[in-house]
Amino acid sequence: MKKLLIAAMMVAGLAACSQEAKQETQEAASAVASDVNAAAENAASAVDAAASEAKGAAEQAVSDVKDAAADAKATADKAVSDAKDAVSDAKDAAKDAAKDAMGKAADATQEAADKLKDAAK
C-alpha cells in the first residue's frame, strides 16, 4: 500500500510538473505569436511608408519634368522671337544698303553723264 501511495504521489507530482510545463510552453508560444504579429505589423508599416515615399518622389519627378518642359518651351519661344527680330533687322539693313547703293550708283551715273556732257562741249 505504501508503494501504491508513493507511486500515486509521484504520478501527482509529475502531473503537476507536466501541467506547469504545458503552461510555460503555452505562454512562450503566445509570446512568440505576439512577436510575430508585431513584426508583421512593423513590416506592413514599413512597406506602406516606402510606397508613400516612392509615390511622393514620383509625383515630384513628374512636377520637375513639367517645369523643365515649360522652361524649355519658354526658351524656344524666346529663341524664335529673337530669330524673327534678327531676320527683320537684317531685312531692313539690306533694304537700306540697297537704297544707299542705288543712290550712289545713280549719283555716279549722273556724275559720269555730266562729265560726258562737259567733254562733248
Side-chain angles (χ1 to χ4, degrees), residues 88-106:
S88 178
D89 291 346
K91 180 180 170 185
D92 291 343
K95 275 185 184 179
D96 291 344
K99 283 181 184 178
D100 188 43
M102 293 286 279
K104 286 181 181 179

Side-chain angles (χ1 to χ4, degrees), residues 52-68:
S52 179
E53 281 186 42
K55 181 181 177 188
E59 288 171 350
Q60 184 61 45
V62 167
S63 176
D64 291 348
V65 167
K66 284 181 181 178
D67 290 346

Side-chain angles (χ1 to χ4, degrees), residues 1-15:
M1 174 96 164
K2 278 186 179 185
K3 287 184 182 183
L4 188 57
L5 186 58
I6 291 174
M9 288 175 77
M10 287 178 72
V11 168
L14 285 175

Side-chain angles (χ1 to χ4, degrees), residues 66-83:
K66 284 181 181 178
D67 290 346
D71 290 346
K73 183 181 182 312
T75 301
D77 289 345
K78 174 92 170 83
V80 167
S81 176
D82 290 349

Side-chain angles (χ1 to χ4, degrees), residues 37-51:
N37 286 336
E41 287 176 15
N42 287 342
S45 286
V47 167
D48 288 345

